[in-house]
Structures are given as C-alpha cells and as structure tokens.
Amino acid sequence: MSRAADRDDRPTPQAADTLPREEGSAGQVARLALPALGVLAAEPIYLLVDTAVVGHLGAVPLGALAVGAVVLAQVSTQLTFLSYGTTARAARLHGAHRRADAVTEGAQATWLAMAIGVLVVLGVQLFAGPITRVLAGGGEVAAEAEQWLRIAVLGAPLILVTLAGNGWMRGVQDTVRPLRYVVVGNAVSAVLCPVLVHPVGMGLTGSAVANVVAQVLAAALFLQALRREAHTQPGVRLRPQPALMWAQLVLGRDLLLRSLGFQLCFLSAAAVAARFGAASVAAHQVVLQLWNFVALVLDSLAIAAQALVGAALGASRTASARALAWRITRWSAVLGVGLALAFAAASGLLPRVFTADTAVLAEIPKAWWFLVAMMPVAGVVFALDGVLLGAGDARFLRTATLGSAVLGFLPLIWLSLALDWGLVGIWTGLSVFMLLRLAAVVVRTRSGRWAVAGATRS
C-alpha cells in the first residue's frame, strides 16, 4: 500500500471528538437497520414459501427438504465472517474516507467466498449420501434429501458471494442495495419454485433448481456492484490481494469458532429436549423459532451499530464511537422491552398459531416466560455484540461466547437430562448463557479497550 495510505492509518487530531447531530440519530439508524432487517428476513420468508410448495408433494419430499435445508443452512451460518468480518474492516476504512480501500476489502472477501464455496461444493458432493443418511436415518427421505442437496449446494459459492457483498456494503453504510439484490433473487425464485415443482413436474428437484436460481441472481448483482465501484472509484483493487485475504481469515477464525459455539449449544438443547418426548421437543421448537425471530429483529440494530461504530473508529473519533455504542444499545434495550411486553400479552394466543396439540400447548409455558424475560437482556447483548464486531474485537467475542457456553449453557443442558428438569432446565441454561454474555459485553464496553482508533485495527 502507498505511503499516503499508511499515513491514513494513523489517528488524526480532531478539533472536537463529539457526536455529529446526524450520526447515530434515530433516522440514520433506521435507514441502516430497516433494510438490513429486510435482508435478514428475506431468506426465512423464501424458505416458508419453498416449504409450502413442497409440502403439497407429501410427507417424504417435505422431510427430505427439511434435511437438505439444514445441511445447506450451515454454509451461511458457519461462514458469517464473510459478512460480519468484512463489515468491520470496511467500516473503518469508510470512516477514514478511504472508500476505494473499503470496496477492495469487499473484493477480497468475494474471492475468499468463491474459493471456500468451491471447497464446500466438492465436500458435499463427496459426502452428501452419508450426511443425509445420518440425519434422516436412511430410507426414502434420505435418498430424496441427497438428490436435493447435490443440486442446491451448487449455489454455495453464490451464497457466500452474497454474504461478502452484504459485508462491504454495510461497511460503507449502504443497506438499501443489498435488500434490492436479495429481494430480486428470492422473488424470482419464489415465482419459479411452484412452477418447476408442480406444472413442470420436476417435484423436489424443482425446489433445488429454484434455490440455485435465487443465488445466481443475487450474487450476479453483487458482482456487478463491485465492477461498477471499480469503474467509478480510482484505487479499487479487484484482483486477489493475498495479504488482505489472510487478514480477513484471521478475523474469520475467531468468528467461526464463535459460531461453532452457538451451534453446539443449540444442537445440545434440541437433543436433550427430544429425550423428554415428542411434546417437549415440539414445544421447544416453537419457542426457539420465536426466539430466532426476536434475534432477527434485534440483529438489524446490531448491524447499524457495527457500521456506525466502525466508521467512527476509522475516523479516529473514539469518544463518538463510545457515545454511539451506548445510544444504540439503549434503543435496542427499549425494543427488547417492547417485544417482551408484546409476547407476554400474546402468551395465550400466539402458541395456538403454531399448534393445536394439547400436550404441546401444555409444555410451551415452561419455556415461554424464559423467552419473555430474556428479550430485554437480548436487546443489550445483541447491540453490544454489534458494537464490538464493528470495532473488530472478534477475539474477545469468541472467548466470551465460548466461555459462557462452557460455564453456563452446556452444564445446565446436560444436568437437565440427568436430573429430569425438562424444558425448564434447558431454558434456564439458555438464560444463564445470555446473562453471562451480558456481563462480559457490558464490562468490555465500559472498559473502552475495544475502541482502537484508525483505519485498521492493530
């Protein structure tokens, strides 16, 4: 990199490190958070459409879709560093008024996405049969799931390109274009899916093809955006830059370990709930899906925090970054309280939307009130997660998450099984997990050690 660019990495004196009137305002946060929420919601909504279409084929295709979709979902779940890590790095550069370098981070993340995606495709093609047989227990469901997965996984590199595209665009505080791109892909696929599955007669295979079409369209739009930036922004480097990709992988390592910690916790919870019987695991699934919905809403504010805090640190305005951190956290906490009140009021009605089974309905309250109580806590935790991610403090978040899992969640989950505590024990474990994370991120944020100024985090 040039000497001029190196000079930009050093903190610059500020006449007044105060929070500008517009920065961190409710309007600015909403302009970032609402489109981000749309992007987060697009995939679950499309999956609901896909499930409804395939559901009319019968139980076996529906079961096969569920198995295949679980495997494919791990691609985006475990490799979110291509999005969140890229946002952290691009946001700092954007704050330092180095848009070309911020976009270059996106280009390098895109190269990584394609390389990792090819490895994922090869791995799944090799092991699709054993994976689906383990998950489905063999038989017709496993056979159809394998066929669906072999086609759908061809879109894995494109899924990862979309993650990388979301990452750099959030970093430069543009969450509107990613929403358009993702909606275009999923909307076309949502129209194509029922046509391929039913009138064309492709059955479950048609669902997989439509899935890949969605990924092709969205990824193509993100790639086009990169090329357009290269034409309009002098200094954007589209060719591979090994040093930058290595730095992204180092950050990604910590985020990957953090994601694995989450997966271990929730898989353990599901496994233990299943051992308490069908009603317990069904009730756990209903409440868990509602928890995922709450997480989706709160994550949109966390994304805004990530972009704004990263930009403030990139501009060497550490006091502004700290002020932004607590301002967005207060709003997220208020949103969490609002969601808690709404779910408390709907406790008698909302579960019946998901099931009419009396045994399941009898089990749901054992987890429901834990869900309600955790929402304000989640508002604070998710917002401060976004702050620390924006600061590039991934190593701390990795350690805090894994420590909270090992000390809080997992012991209580397995004690629940040993001592027959049922859903009460499982959701107590989740609550302790959240409280430990709350303590960790609040202490870290108050310490100010995360607020490292400059266009790159040393």
Side-chain angles (χ1 to χ4, degrees):
M1 191 174 290
S2 68
R3 291 181 180 177
D6 289 338
R7 286 196 298 272
D8 285 340
D9 283 343
R10 296 196 301 267
T12 55
Q14 300 294 317
D17 185 7
T18 56
L19 197 61
R21 180 177 297 179
E22 169 63 14
E23 186 175 31
S25 67
Q28 186 188 32
V29 171
R31 285 194 295 273
L32 291 172
L34 292 177
L37 177 60
V39 171
L40 293 171
E43 187 67 16
I45 291 171
Y46 171 72
L47 289 175
L48 285 174
V49 173
D50 198 16
T51 300
V53 171
V54 172
H56 290 287
L57 294 174
V60 170
L62 187 58
L65 175 64
V67 170
V70 164
V71 177
L72 191 62
Q74 296 309 304
V75 174
S76 55
T77 301
Q78 297 304 326
L79 297 171
T80 53
F81 78 88
L82 289 165
S83 180
Y84 291 102
T86 304
T87 297
R89 292 175 61 84
R92 282 179 174 268
L93 293 163
H94 176 69
H97 304 291
R98 290 168 51 185
R99 184 181 177 96
D101 289 334
V103 177
T104 297
E105 290 286 343
Q108 304 317 303
T110 300
W111 283 112
L112 277 178
M114 290 188 284
I116 295 170
V118 169
L119 293 176
V120 169
V121 171
L122 293 175
V124 171
Q125 295 297 342
L126 283 173
F127 299 107
I131 290 170
T132 52
R133 285 193 292 273
V134 166
L135 291 174
E140 196 175 354
V141 171
E144 291 205 25
E146 178 183 352
Q147 184 181 19
W148 183 92
L149 184 58
R150 288 189 183 279
I151 297 171
V153 79
L154 297 176
L158 307 170
I159 293 172
L160 300 184
V161 166
T162 296
L163 287 179
N166 268 291
W168 73 262
M169 285 190 174
R170 289 171 183 170
V172 299
Q173 299 185 16
D174 181 357
T175 56
V176 173
R177 279 192 296 168
L179 176 61
R180 292 173 185 160
Y181 299 165
V182 171
V183 166
V184 166
N186 284 340
V188 171
S189 189
V191 173
L192 187 61
C193 181
V195 173
L196 294 179
V197 170
H198 294 295
V200 175
M202 294 177 68
L204 185 61
T205 300
S207 162
V209 171
N211 195 292
V212 173
V213 168
Q215 307 307 336
V216 168
L217 290 173
L221 290 169
F222 280 108
L223 290 172
Q224 184 184 37
L226 273 177
R227 292 186 62 186
R228 189 181 300 119
E229 289 279 345
H231 284 301
T232 59
Q233 289 285 331
V236 172
R237 290 161 292 166
L238 295 183
R239 292 184 179 181
Q241 306 290 321
L244 288 181
M245 286 191 281
W246 178 252
Q248 291 179 351
L249 285 172
V250 170
L251 179 62
R253 173 200 61 198
D254 295 324
L255 295 176
L256 177 61
L257 289 172
R258 181 171 179 261
S259 294
L260 289 172
F262 283 125
Q263 291 301 308
L264 179 61
C265 287
F266 287 106
L267 286 173
S268 296
V272 171
R275 284 160 174 77
F276 290 119
S280 289
V281 73
H284 174 73
Q285 180 65 12
V286 168
V287 181
L288 184 62
Q289 290 309 307
L290 291 169
W291 170 253
N292 289 337
F293 167 77
V294 170
L296 195 91
V297 173
L298 295 174
D299 263 347
S300 64
L301 279 176
I303 287 169
Q306 191 180 2
L308 292 171
V309 166
L313 291 175
S316 299
R317 292 187 287 103
T318 56
S320 293
R322 293 190 186 99
L324 278 166
W326 292 115
R327 178 184 291 182
I328 297 175
T329 298
R330 286 193 295 270
W331 290 341
S332 187
V334 169
L335 179 57
V337 170
L339 288 168
L341 292 174
F343 274 73
S347 61
L349 297 175
L350 192 53
R352 298 181 183 278
V353 173
F354 296 91
T355 181
D357 189 294
T358 55
V360 176
L361 290 171
E363 286 290 313
I364 284 177
K366 296 177 181 178
W368 188 270
W369 297 107
F370 287 100
L371 171 71
V372 171
M374 280 194 297
M375 288 180 190
V377 175
V380 176
V381 171
F382 289 11
L384 293 181
D385 272 358
V387 168
L388 298 177
L389 281 170
D393 203 10
R395 184 178 300 177
F396 171 81
L397 287 173
R398 173 207 66 194
T399 303
T401 301
L402 295 178
S404 299
V406 171
L407 295 175
F409 200 162
L410 293 175
L412 282 167
I413 290 295
W414 294 108
L415 274 175
S416 298
L417 179 61
L419 302 178
D420 198 29
W421 290 344
L423 288 185
V424 171
I426 292 171
W427 282 81
T428 298
L430 180 57
S431 300
V432 172
F433 177 60
M434 289 297 297
L435 289 171
L436 289 174
R437 288 175 62 202
L438 174 67
V441 295
V442 167
V443 169
R444 181 66 169 183
T445 306
R446 285 176 63 88
S447 75
R449 290 195 296 272
W450 53 276
V452 178
T456 57
R457 183 184 177 93
S458 58

